[in-house]
């Protein structure tokens, strides 16, 4: 069996003797007994073999930078695509989820049993085997053993967290069952939400304790992508913010959700102390990140001379796409080139003279996502008293003063006078796309170089996800060079916004505004206080907890756009039934004139059914094997 992991670069690791133990991931979590025990003697015979086993633990991490293997990319409403797809995909699962086709007989993106060759329960099992046996390795230095144990604990906690976020209350598999365990011991129960959260947090605390994990990676050629103390504390902060959020904190929709032994799985009584705990975890994670030298990314203009508009755009884009940049807390490198497919799915044809079939342009933001970004004044388009919201669909002609649009080009008012993140994150007909090798012009009406010419390789909405395409991508008619970057599972800006949310929920509006404004400053915007006081029709909005909550959530939605955050945030905020049931609109992309192209077209009317769609169903076969597992409500 061959497993690839990143140690500075991707390398092939041949698992001698442990392949038989891994077996088929489709066995599910009930098969907790190693099926080839003698191979453990070889797997932990020496340091080299044990290190291979540690890398096997890493190999079970989902490929979060792959658009078809992370539900948060194509399973929600941030990116739509042409349908049905005959080509240009690995798995159709996330697209089926987005269209409301999830089902319990054989669930889509089923990481419980196995998806993309990865069962997270199997990964947890491998971590447990490692922890049980690493002490046997005779030539392993104590400091190495401590670090590897901490890494395995982190990975085990993270896999529990991934399953928890998908399925809600889950069993806790802290140790593998012994070989002679009776069959009844395998019929495990789901554990209450608070118990699962406490277990994940305690395991992350154990991983981060002491000096076992490094504060930062120093061996950049061999260890980038491995876990640090800052990563452990940042993931802990995210877990606790999620646990404090409405989905898991005082949720009456699941008040009667219980095991078949009567044990309640949700606490319907809201607990304000959960936000206090989350706030403290965020602060500890931010302090650790600062001690590790992490800071908000700003583009180094000495690399390429650019104007102020482009510099701000690259501040935003490269905070995601620049490899191992200054604000990356933990990057997922699973899969070899972790963001290669993401970038090719997102990038349109940029050059009329160099059509490259590898550039798919299919990850298309719907119009409602474009409308979420602020005006240039840093307030929502529905609140800016100087911005013509009523005429946002009327055509205008761009002048030299309209930095984000080609001079002389006609586009709708919606695309004018928007904030820098709008132009950094999204491209559209008439926009500009800056790359390291020059500035390209997007023209995407029918038969233009970025437009629809065939049954594939086009944007169904007329928008493109510019943010996630590394500015070093180079192409011509016959070749494509993509600089793949580690997928930012969590970066400093994300952590700042989580902290701002927790501060507001615990009554510290001044602290929340401080961190919001740090994010806004990097994005080229005035402070919340200044922007709302000057431009908003609701100037006092930020002075109330409810109003500031709305601002925090929209700021987070904008800053973290196309990074897989919105999919989970809408669920934990319990706003998914409203937001994910809004119609998907795009432009009339088969048209050739300004007037005809710039007409809204209804593409799809999704429906998020609550409470069913908050969580994945457990496959029916698992419930038959283990009657102590109860199905999620609505399934």
């Amino acid at each position: 069996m061959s497993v690839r992991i990143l140690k500075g670069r991707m390398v092939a690791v041949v698992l001698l003797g442990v392949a038989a133990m891994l077996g088929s991931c489709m066995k599910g979590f009930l098969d907790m007994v190693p099926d080839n025990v003698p191979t453990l003697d070889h797997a932990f015979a020496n340091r080299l073999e044990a290190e291979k086993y540690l890398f096997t633990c890493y190999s079970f991490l989902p490929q979060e930078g792959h658009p078809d293997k992370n539900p948060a990319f194509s399973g929600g409403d941030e990116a739509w695509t042409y349908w049905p797809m005959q080509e240009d995909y690995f798995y159709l699962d996330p697209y089926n989820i987005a269209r409301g086709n999830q089902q319990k007989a054989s669930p889509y993106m089923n990481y419980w049993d196995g998806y993309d060759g990865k069962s997270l329960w199997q990964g947890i099992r491998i971590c447990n085997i490692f922890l049980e046996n690493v002490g046997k390795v005779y030539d392993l230095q104590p400091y190495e053993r401590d670090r590897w144990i901490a890494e395995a604990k982190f990975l085990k906690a993270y896999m529990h967290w991934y399953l928890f976020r998908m399925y809600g209350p889950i069993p806790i598999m802290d140790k593998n069952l012994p070989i002679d365990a009776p069959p009844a011991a395998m019929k495990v129960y789901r554990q209450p939400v608070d118990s699962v959260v406490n277990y994940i947090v305690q395991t992350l605390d154990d991983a981060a304790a002491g000096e076992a994990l490094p504060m930062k990676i120093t061996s950049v050629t061999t260890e980038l992508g491995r876990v640090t103390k800052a990563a452990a504390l940042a993931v802990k902060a995210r877990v606790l913010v999620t646990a404090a959020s409405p989905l898991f904190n005082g949720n009456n929709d699941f008040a009667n959700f219980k095991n078949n032994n009567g044990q309640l799985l949700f606490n319907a009584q809201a607990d304000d102390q959960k936000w206090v705990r989350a706030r403290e975890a965020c602060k500890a994670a931010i302090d650790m990140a600062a001690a590790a030298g992490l800071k908000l990314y700003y583009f180094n203009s000495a690399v390429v001379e650019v104007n102020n508009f482009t510099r701000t755009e690259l501040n935003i884009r490269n905070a995601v796409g620049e490899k191992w940049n200054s604000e990356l807390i933990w990057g997922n490198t699973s899969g070899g080139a972790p963001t290669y497919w993401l970038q090719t799915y997102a990038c349109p044809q940029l050059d009329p003279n160099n059509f490259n079939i590898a550039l798919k342009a299919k990850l298309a933001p719907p119009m409602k996502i474009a409308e979420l970004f602020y005006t240039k004044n840093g307030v929502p388009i529905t609140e800016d008293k100087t911005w013509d919201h009523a005429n946002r669909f009327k055509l205008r002609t761009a002048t030299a003063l309209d930095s984000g649009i080609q001079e002389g080009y006609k586009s709708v008012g919606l695309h004018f006078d928007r904030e820098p993140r709008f132009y950094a994150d999204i491209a559209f007909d008439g926009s500009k796309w800056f790359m390291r090798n020059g500035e390209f012009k997007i023209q995407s009406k029918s038969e233009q170089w970025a437009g629809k010419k065939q049954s594939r390789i086009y944007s169904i909405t007329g928008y493109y996800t510019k943010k996630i395409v590394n500015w070093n991508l180079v192409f011509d008619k016959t070749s494509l060079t993509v600089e793949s970057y580690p997928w930012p599972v969590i970066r400093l800006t994300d952590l700042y916004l989580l902290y701002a949310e927790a501060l507001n929920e615990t009554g510290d509006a001044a602290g929340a505004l401080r961190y919001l404004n740090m994010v806004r400053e990097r994005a080229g915007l005035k402070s919340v206080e200044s922007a709302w006081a000057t431009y908003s029709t609701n100037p006092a909005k930020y002075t109330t907890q409810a109003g500031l909550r709305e601002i925090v959530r929209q700021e987070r939605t904008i800053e973290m756009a196309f990074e897989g955050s919105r999919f989970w945030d809408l669920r934990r905020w319990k706003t998914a039934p409203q937001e994910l049931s809004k119609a998907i609109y795009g432009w009339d992309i088969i048209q050739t004139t300004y007037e005809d192209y710039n007409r809204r077209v209804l593409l799809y009317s999704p429906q998020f059914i609550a409470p069913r769609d908050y969580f994945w169903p457990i496959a029916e076969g698992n419930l038959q094997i283990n009657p102590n597992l109860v199905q999620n409500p609505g399934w």
Side-chain angles (χ1 to χ4, degrees):
M1 177 177 179
S2 177
V3 177
R4 296 185 297 173
I5 60 97
L6 184 66
K7 291 184 64 186
R9 64 184 189 278
M10 299 307 299
V11 296
V13 178
V14 180
L15 303 181
L16 302 176
V18 301
M21 286 175 44
L22 296 178
S24 170
C25 292
M26 297 306 294
K27 291 181 179 178
F29 81 97
L30 291 174
D31 180 22
M32 291 292 169
V33 181
D35 48 19
N36 198 345
V37 176
T39 63
L40 293 178
D41 294 334
H42 180 75
F44 297 95
N46 55 54
R47 181 192 179 282
L48 178 61
E49 298 303 324
E51 187 177 40
K52 293 176 183 178
Y53 208 99
L54 175 64
F55 296 161
T56 306
C57 296
Y58 273 96
S59 76
F60 277 91
L61 290 172
Q63 293 186 42
E64 294 183 70
H66 196 298
D68 293 351
K69 301 175 184 180
N70 182 344
F73 283 133
S74 306
D77 67 345
E78 277 194 306
W80 213 249
T81 193
Y82 41 82
W83 188 266
M85 280 185 285
Q86 304 303 320
E87 298 181 71
D88 305 324
Y89 66 89
F90 283 75
Y91 304 99
L92 291 176
D93 290 38
Y95 310 100
N96 273 304
I97 291 173
R99 285 162 173 75
N101 297 330
Q102 181 65 284
Q103 37 89 29
K104 60 186 178 181
S106 181
Y108 293 114
M109 304 200 83
N110 181 13
Y111 278 110
W112 184 292
D113 293 304
Y115 179 70
D116 184 36
K118 299 175 188 291
S119 161
L120 293 183
W121 292 117
Q122 186 80 347
I124 291 168
R125 171 191 171 191
I126 296 301
C127 291
N128 283 335
I129 291 173
F130 179 86
L131 291 168
E132 291 165 1
N133 290 277
V134 68
K136 301 175 182 177
V137 184
Y138 76 93
D139 58 345
L140 189 59
Q141 295 297 319
Y143 74 90
E144 285 184 306
R145 180 179 291 109
D146 291 345
R147 180 183 178 185
W148 292 7
I149 288 172
E151 288 181 84
K153 287 182 177 180
F154 171 92
L155 294 170
K156 181 169 68 168
Y158 190 78
M159 292 178 202
H160 275 92
W161 154 243
Y162 207 95
L163 287 163
F164 171 73
R165 195 167 54 170
M166 294 179 75
Y167 295 93
I170 57 172
I172 295 173
M173 291 296 154
D174 188 41
K175 296 184 183 299
N176 291 339
L177 294 172
I179 294 175
D180 57 353
M186 295 186 182
K187 293 180 171 55
V188 296
Y189 286 95
R190 302 174 75 156
Q191 296 300 307
V193 163
D194 290 347
S195 297
V196 178
V197 169
N198 289 336
Y199 168 75
I200 294 170
V201 168
Q202 183 59 59
T203 307
L204 290 169
D205 280 340
D206 291 346
E211 304 300 322
L213 287 178
M215 186 173 293
K216 60 182 178 180
I217 297 298
T218 55
S219 301
V220 295
T221 59
T222 59
E223 293 187 347
L224 288 175
R226 290 177 68 172
V227 178
T228 64
K229 191 183 293 282
L233 293 182
V235 171
K236 173 186 171 181
R238 176 176 285 170
V239 171
L240 287 175
V241 168
T242 300
S245 299
L247 179 61
F248 293 109
N249 189 10
N251 187 349
N252 286 310
D253 289 345
F254 293 92
N256 296 317
F257 185 24
K258 60 183 70 174
N259 282 322
N260 59 19
N261 61 3
Q263 183 183 33
L264 289 171
L265 296 174
F266 275 75
N267 187 345
Q269 183 66 40
D271 182 359
D272 292 340
Q273 285 302 304
K274 290 183 179 180
W275 277 115
V276 174
R277 191 182 182 196
R279 181 193 68 201
E280 292 172 351
C282 288
K283 182 60 165 61
I286 288 172
D287 289 345
M288 180 57 64
L294 298 175
K295 57 186 178 181
L296 293 184
Y297 171 87
Y298 281 87
F299 177 71
N300 180 5
S301 56
V303 176
V304 174
E305 186 176 346
V306 294
N307 59 32
N308 289 336
F309 178 87
T310 303
R311 183 181 298 109
T312 302
E313 177 176 324
L314 292 175
N315 287 346
I316 298 161
R317 288 171 56 189
N318 287 12
V320 173
E322 183 170 306
K323 295 191 298 184
W324 310 110
N325 68 69
S326 64
E327 73 173 78
L328 180 62
I329 296 176
W330 184 42
N332 185 316
T333 57
S334 180
T339 56
Y340 175 88
W341 293 107
L342 180 66
Q343 295 184 62
T344 59
Y345 278 22
C347 191
Q349 301 299 321
L350 297 176
D351 187 341
N353 301 312
N354 284 292
F355 177 85
N356 189 299
I357 198 170
L359 301 179
K360 312 298 184 186
K362 68 176 222 170
L363 288 181
M367 193 175 296
K368 66 175 180 176
I369 301 299
E371 292 187 294
L372 286 173
F373 288 80
Y374 295 144
T375 69
K376 66 180 181 180
N377 298 317
V379 298
I381 63 174
T382 55
E383 290 183 33
D384 192 327
K385 58 189 178 184
T386 71
W387 197 83
D388 191 358
H389 183 265
N391 292 313
R392 68 191 183 280
F393 297 132
K394 290 187 176 181
L395 285 172
R396 290 173 52 182
T397 301
T399 70
L401 298 178
D402 297 306
S403 299
I405 306 177
Q406 300 162 36
E407 184 177 358
Y409 212 86
K410 289 184 180 180
S411 191
V412 291
L414 182 64
H415 300 154
F416 286 80
D417 300 321
R418 304 299 297 277
E419 64 158 308
R421 287 178 296 195
F422 176 76
Y423 301 107
D425 288 14
I426 292 177
F428 50 88
D429 180 48
S431 67
K432 304 172 184 178
W433 192 308
F434 186 84
M435 300 293 275
R436 188 163 188 155
N437 60 342
E439 185 175 82
F440 296 89
K441 296 179 178 180
I442 302 299
Q443 295 189 9
S444 56
K445 291 184 286 296
S446 182
E447 298 306 317
Q448 291 180 319
W449 56 88
K452 185 181 188 307
K453 302 183 187 66
Q454 52 194 351
S455 62
R456 53 190 285 257
I457 312 180
Y458 66 93
S459 164
I460 190 67
T461 66
Y463 288 111
Y464 307 91
T465 43
K466 184 198 296 187
K467 178 184 184 179
I468 54 181
V469 179
N470 186 301
W471 78 313
N472 288 312
L473 184 146
V474 178
F475 63 92
D476 58 27
K477 292 180 180 180
T478 59
S479 65
L480 174 68
T481 301
V482 177
E483 183 175 282
S484 188
Y485 54 90
W487 182 250
V489 177
I490 192 161
R491 58 187 178 98
L492 194 58
T493 313
D494 185 356
L495 194 53
Y496 282 179
L497 293 169
L498 292 173
Y499 189 34
E501 185 175 351
L503 286 166
N504 183 55
E505 296 299 335
T506 53
D508 186 356
L513 287 166
R514 177 183 172 223
Y515 280 89
L516 285 178
N517 290 334
M518 291 169 67
V519 174
R520 289 170 65 90
E521 181 181 8
R522 199 264 300 277
L525 296 176
K526 295 179 180 179
S527 69
V528 169
E529 301 95 313
S530 175
W532 259 262
T534 307
Y535 299 103
S536 176
T537 55
N538 184 8
K541 182 176 181 178
Y542 68 90
T543 64
T544 69
Q545 185 182 52
L548 187 53
R549 178 184 298 124
E550 186 177 328
I551 292 171
V552 167
R553 289 181 177 182
Q554 185 158 358
E555 190 72 43
R556 180 170 178 82
T557 298
I558 294 169
E559 176 64 28
M560 301 304 298
F562 313 122
E563 296 182 52
S565 178
R566 176 175 167 85
F567 181 90
W568 301 111
D569 285 339
L570 294 180
R571 285 163 169 77
R572 69 180 179 88
W573 293 333
K574 289 193 70 182
T575 56
Q578 297 77 39
E579 293 298 320
L580 296 182
S581 296
K582 290 181 178 178
I584 302 295
Y585 283 97
W587 300 112
D588 197 348
I589 62 169
I590 63 172
Q591 305 299 330
T592 59
T593 67
Y594 287 121
E595 291 75 15
D596 292 338
Y597 178 91
N598 286 286
R599 293 186 303 208
R600 287 204 313 164
V601 174
L602 176 64
L603 300 174
Y604 200 80
S605 296
Q607 185 178 13
F608 185 97
I609 300 175
R612 185 196 70 179
D613 291 336
Y614 279 115
F615 298 115
W616 265 246
I618 299 174
E620 289 178 316
N622 287 324
L623 307 182
Q624 295 170 358
I625 294 171
N626 178 6
N628 289 338
L629 284 178
V630 291
Q631 183 62 277
N632 277 324
W635 293 106

